Amino acid sequence: MSSLRSSGLRIKELQVEYKNGQLALGQVNLDLPQHGIYTIIGPSGSGKSTLLRAIAGLLPGYQGELLFNGKSVHDKETLIGLVPQNYGLLPWKTVHDNIRMAMKITRPAGGSKQERETQIHQWLTSMGISELSGRYPLSLSGGQQQRVAIARAFAILPTILLLDEPFSALDVITREALQQIFLDNWLAHPATTLFVTHDVEEAILLGQKIIVMPSVKQETPEILDNTAVFAMKHEDKRDSNEFFEQTKQIRKVMQEKW
Ligand SMILES: Nc1ncnc2c1ncn2[C@@H]1O[C@H](COP(=O)(O)OP(=O)(O)OP(=O)(O)O)[C@@H](O)[C@H]1O
Ligand SMILES: [Mg+2]
């Protein structure tokens, strides 16, 4: 019964301590509905990357439960796409091959070679980097690498999409363009998404809810509803009253919790 009601990503009393005894994440409880998108902001060191890593299955241990549709999030049927904070690209593979390899590993039976090539080209084009296809990651700027990492995460059509400050290295104009592209891509393939950002505006522009992490690990994250802004046309959000109110609200929470 509960598995039906708990459709989506459910984080129950997650707590992470690294081997050196460092408490990285205190008590996190969170319900993210299937096909929902939540943004996370929080001070440096508050455990945002740790939270994503735990969900992505990259931590050797943690306390608590991580469920997707009532089953462990690490079950084979849940495909997780991660854009790590350091992009996570394979330096010895070209941009094209980074994406092709991820697709091959995650969906070995996913379409013909030609179909795959078309998809790779589409994802690169949507991120505005089709001309970088044959280049190697270390020859790219940080912002270009970020876009490759985002294209790769989308290309595997994940069930859960985790993004760790994916636009941090971009200039304002490129960043705003990519926020729109990101939302369009997400609407076309609405993975259950957690999006970490340092940018208050970005958190409001992209999330249905906004999770504000505390700096003190014993405190629980504050979760703000943002559906009013989320429902607007993207280009209208920034100038709306709701956006302004939400900015004030988040700043207030930040002053209390950071
Ligand atoms: N591999 C590790 N071993 C030990 N401690 C770690 C490790 N990775 C992170 N930590 C510690 O865990 C805490 C949370 O780190 P985390 O990287 O999750 O923070 P964050 O919120 O993502 O920060 P930032 O905004 O700077 O990216 C920090 O105190 C950090 O020093
Ligand atoms: Mg981080």
Side-chain angles (χ1 to χ4, degrees):
M1 180 200 81
S2 67
S3 71
L4 272 180
R5 284 193 16 244
S6 56
S7 141
L9 176 64
R10 168 151 243 220
I11 298 170
K12 280 162 91 172
E13 299 183 1
L14 177 65
Q15 186 167 321
V16 178
E17 200 178 299
Y18 283 104
K19 273 206 212 75
N20 59 0
Q22 172 76 45
L23 180 65
L25 203 62
Q27 288 293 311
V28 174
N29 288 287
L30 185 70
D31 276 312
L32 168 58
Q34 197 164 6
H35 310 302
I37 174 166
Y38 288 5
T39 45
I40 305 176
I41 56 173
S44 189
S46 59
K48 305 179 295 296
S49 298
T50 300
L51 171 64
L52 296 199
R53 266 187 240 130
I55 299 168
L58 298 178
L59 292 182
Y62 56 80
Q63 282 173 44
E65 272 189 285
L66 297 170
L67 304 171
F68 189 73
N69 291 351
K71 292 189 201 158
S72 165
V73 81
H74 302 132
D75 263 24
K76 273 208 298 286
E77 61 213 65
T78 306
L79 187 53
I80 300 180
L82 172 69
V83 178
Q85 202 164 358
N86 58 3
Y87 327 129
L89 300 171
L90 303 174
W92 60 91
K93 296 259 178 209
T94 62
V95 165
H96 172 279
D97 288 354
N98 259 279
I99 298 177
R100 192 181 58 123
M101 221 178 100
M103 289 168 100
K104 253 172 92 173
I105 292 169
T106 52
R107 297 184 186 271
S112 68
K113 186 164 185 272
Q114 193 47 48
E115 281 164 347
R116 243 183 218 153
E117 289 305 317
T118 308
Q119 285 162 7
I120 293 170
H121 184 72
Q122 279 168 356
W123 286 114
L124 288 176
T125 306
S126 83
M127 300 307 292
I129 48 170
S130 57
E131 76 285 1
L132 303 179
S133 184
R135 298 262 296 267
Y136 287 87
L138 293 181
S139 78
L140 304 176
S141 72
Q144 289 170 333
Q145 291 185 52
Q146 281 186 323
R147 282 185 274 171
V148 177
I150 296 165
R152 184 179 64 174
F154 269 116
I156 66 169
L157 302 177
T159 331
I160 298 177
L161 179 57
L162 307 170
L163 303 113
D164 202 347
E165 304 192 33
F167 299 150
S168 60
L170 302 174
D171 63 272
V172 177
I173 299 295
T174 310
R175 185 180 189 133
E176 287 180 8
L178 281 178
Q179 286 166 347
Q180 174 80 67
I181 291 166
F182 171 79
L183 271 185
D184 291 344
N185 282 335
W186 178 80
L187 282 167
H189 303 278
T192 305
T193 301
L194 280 175
F195 187 116
V196 171
T197 177
H198 258 123
D199 186 291
V200 175
E201 288 201 354
E202 185 163 272
I204 304 171
L205 289 171
L206 299 182
Q208 292 162 332
K209 290 196 183 178
I210 299 161
I211 301 155
V212 187
M213 301 293 286
S215 57
V216 180
K217 309 274 190 247
Q218 283 71 23
E219 288 182 16
T220 51
E222 183 96 10
I223 300 174
L224 288 95
D225 184 58
N226 192 47
T227 40
V229 177
F230 191 80
M232 290 178 201
K233 262 171 61 190
H234 191 67
E235 56 268 35
D236 297 338
K237 288 177 187 169
R238 220 181 274 275
D239 296 323
S240 68
N241 234 339
E242 288 86 345
F243 183 86
F244 177 68
E245 285 304 319
Q246 198 67 290
T247 311
K248 272 204 318 204
Q249 183 62 28
I250 290 180
R251 292 203 185 282
K252 199 171 140 230
V253 175
M254 284 161 76
Q255 268 156 16
E256 287 162 11
K257 295 239 171 191
W258 293 21

